[in-house]
Amino acid sequence: MLDWLYTAIAWVMKQWHALFSTFLDPASGIAWALSIVFLVVTIRVLLFRLFVKQVKSQRAMQEIQPEIQKLRKQYGSDKQGFSQAMMALNKERGVNPLAGCLPILPQIPIFLALFHVLRRIAPDRPGLYSWDDQLTDQAARAELFGAPISSSFNMVGEKEQAILEIADYTNIRIVAFLLIVIMCFTTFFTQKQIMRRSGPVEGQAAMVQKLLLYGMPLSLFVSGFFFPIGVLLYWFTNNLWTLGQQFYILKKLPPPGSPAALAKAAADKPQIDPKTLAPKPGAKPVRPKPGTGPASAAPMSTVDGDGATPDVPPSGATAANGDGTPPAKGDGGQSNGRPPGGGGARPRTGSSGSRSSAGPANRGKRKRR
């Protein structure tokens, strides 16, 4: 049923092997090891867009965490209502919780397909999955540090006998064990970096992360004894790619609220040139004092356009009414715009030297020609 997938994986390895065979020995282990390494590169390049979607989905989930907590408090034990509210919130914000699994899901069948292909090849076996007999025999006999890439730590049956005719079991187990340990360590550090990328989580998500952090390397350590050396090399290369890719994403898209995110936000702010804030040449700089209101309007000139001085009320005088009549005389008040007692300063005269006929209503205004 999955022969098409096995054939596709074998075809990609065959193309890379043909490329490296132009300057390397086709039967050498380095040519086949590079074919497996670039099989990883091919797959991860094709899945890069899904990886970016995964990161964006994780960022969006972090942003709506406060609203999710509010919904938990609002609905309490009403799980159905909370689930419906969560679906509505995800739809409104465009969040897809399944997007976080997008890069992982396609890699599972690819890993199983490579495991199946390398498990079936053996010396002096007929060709399979688009490989001819010669290419299949070369892949089965290709050695990496003295261990065939088709061999594993534990082998049984006819394949074990065929492999032991061309290699030593002790050498195979040493190489396989070292690759298993390296694979487990890189898996642990990869998971740690995933936790850094996703940011702090609480509750059930924190338990899942901790389980993956320690459970996945442990499960790989147990199952790695049955993986062919080529599969161990594939997993190790895949972890290295993931580490580099996540380092790049953490640098470009740091988790919200982290020191790196705050530093990146500060660096992305537009830089203001102090020269643009300086006054233009010839303009007087204005430095308002702290706590003061806006500057008041400039006082009107006391000189007319023709050089005449308008009427200015004497010191202590009271303004006239709107119709130009002086205010009514009251207790202690004024009469006819003069101070009590009949004394006081002389009123200023206009350009003609006589008293202004406009009256107090025109006080402070310029005369029109």
Side-chain angles (χ1 to χ4, degrees):
M1 183 177 64
L2 294 178
D3 284 352
W4 63 272
L5 182 60
Y6 306 147
T7 303
I9 296 300
W11 182 84
V12 174
M13 289 182 61
K14 178 181 177 181
Q15 301 306 314
W16 283 116
H17 179 264
L19 175 64
F20 293 121
S21 296
T22 57
F23 54 90
L24 293 173
D25 182 10
S28 64
I30 186 64
W32 283 100
L34 288 175
S35 301
I36 295 174
V37 169
F38 278 85
L39 170 66
V40 176
V41 173
T42 304
I43 295 168
R44 296 307 296 268
V45 168
L46 294 176
L47 298 179
F48 183 76
R49 292 177 63 88
L50 296 180
F51 180 78
V52 174
K53 288 184 178 180
Q54 178 193 31
V55 174
K56 291 182 177 180
S57 176
Q58 289 177 344
R59 295 289 188 268
M61 289 293 293
Q62 291 176 7
E63 292 176 358
I64 65 173
Q65 283 300 316
E67 300 183 31
I68 294 177
Q69 296 299 329
K70 292 180 181 179
L71 291 177
R72 291 183 187 277
K73 295 179 180 179
Q74 179 180 353
Y75 287 93
S77 59
D78 186 7
K79 295 184 179 180
Q80 184 176 1
F82 174 74
S83 178
Q84 293 177 354
M86 276 290 300
M87 292 176 61
L89 178 63
N90 291 338
K91 185 177 181 181
E92 178 185 354
R93 296 298 184 88
V95 177
N96 183 9
L98 297 179
C101 303
L102 289 179
I104 300 176
L105 294 177
Q107 295 184 58
I108 296 176
I110 294 172
F111 171 79
L112 295 177
L114 180 63
F115 173 77
H116 180 80
V117 171
L118 294 180
R119 186 171 60 90
R120 289 195 61 184
I121 62 174
D124 301 326
R125 289 279 184 89
L128 73 163
Y129 306 128
S130 76
W131 293 356
D132 55 22
D133 297 346
Q134 181 182 2
L135 194 64
T136 303
D137 188 66
Q138 285 181 355
R141 295 176 181 271
E143 296 181 356
L144 180 65
F145 303 113
I149 62 171
S150 59
S151 62
S152 56
F153 191 94
N154 287 326
M155 295 180 293
V156 292
E158 297 179 359
K159 182 175 181 178
E160 180 183 13
Q161 298 176 0
I163 292 293
L164 292 180
E165 291 178 359
I166 60 174
D168 182 35
Y169 219 145
T170 303
N171 194 29
I172 293 173
R173 288 185 170 178
I174 291 175
V175 174
F177 185 79
L178 290 177
L179 286 176
I180 291 171
V181 173
I182 295 174
M183 177 185 66
C184 294
F185 272 106
T186 53
T187 302
F188 176 81
F189 288 120
T190 301
Q191 192 60 35
K192 285 280 288 186
Q193 202 174 43
I194 290 175
M195 293 172 62
R196 287 183 55 198
R197 185 189 69 197
S198 59
V201 294
E202 298 178 356
Q204 188 175 3
M207 294 178 61
V208 172
Q209 279 192 351
K210 195 170 183 179
L211 179 63
L212 292 175
L213 178 63
Y214 297 102
M216 184 176 292
L218 182 61
S219 62
L220 287 175
F221 182 80
V222 175
S223 58
F225 290 97
F226 303 95
F227 290 164
I229 289 179
V231 174
L232 296 175
L233 179 63
Y234 170 89
W235 195 283
F236 167 67
T237 307
N238 190 66
N239 287 342
L240 289 182
W241 179 279
T242 303
L243 285 171
Q245 188 171 254
Q246 289 180 350
F247 178 80
Y248 173 80
I249 291 296
L250 285 173
K251 186 176 180 180
K252 293 295 182 180
L253 298 173
S258 63
L262 298 178
K264 187 176 184 299
D268 291 342
K269 286 184 178 179
Q271 299 293 333
I272 300 177
D273 188 1
K275 296 181 180 180
T276 60
L277 302 178
K280 296 181 179 179
K284 184 178 180 180
V286 179
R287 296 181 180 179
K289 296 181 179 180
T292 59
S296 58
M300 298 181 65
S301 175
T302 57
V303 181
D304 293 339
D306 55 358
T309 304
D311 291 337
V312 179
S315 176
T318 305
N321 296 330
D323 56 356
T325 60
K329 183 178 181 180
D331 297 338
Q334 301 176 3
S335 177
N336 296 327
R338 295 180 180 180
R346 293 171 53 190
R348 296 184 182 180
T349 59
S351 60
S352 61
S354 61
R355 190 181 183 90
S356 175
S357 60
N362 294 330
R363 186 181 296 118
K365 298 183 178 179
R366 296 184 180 180
K367 292 182 179 181
R368 297 181 181 177
R369 292 185 179 181

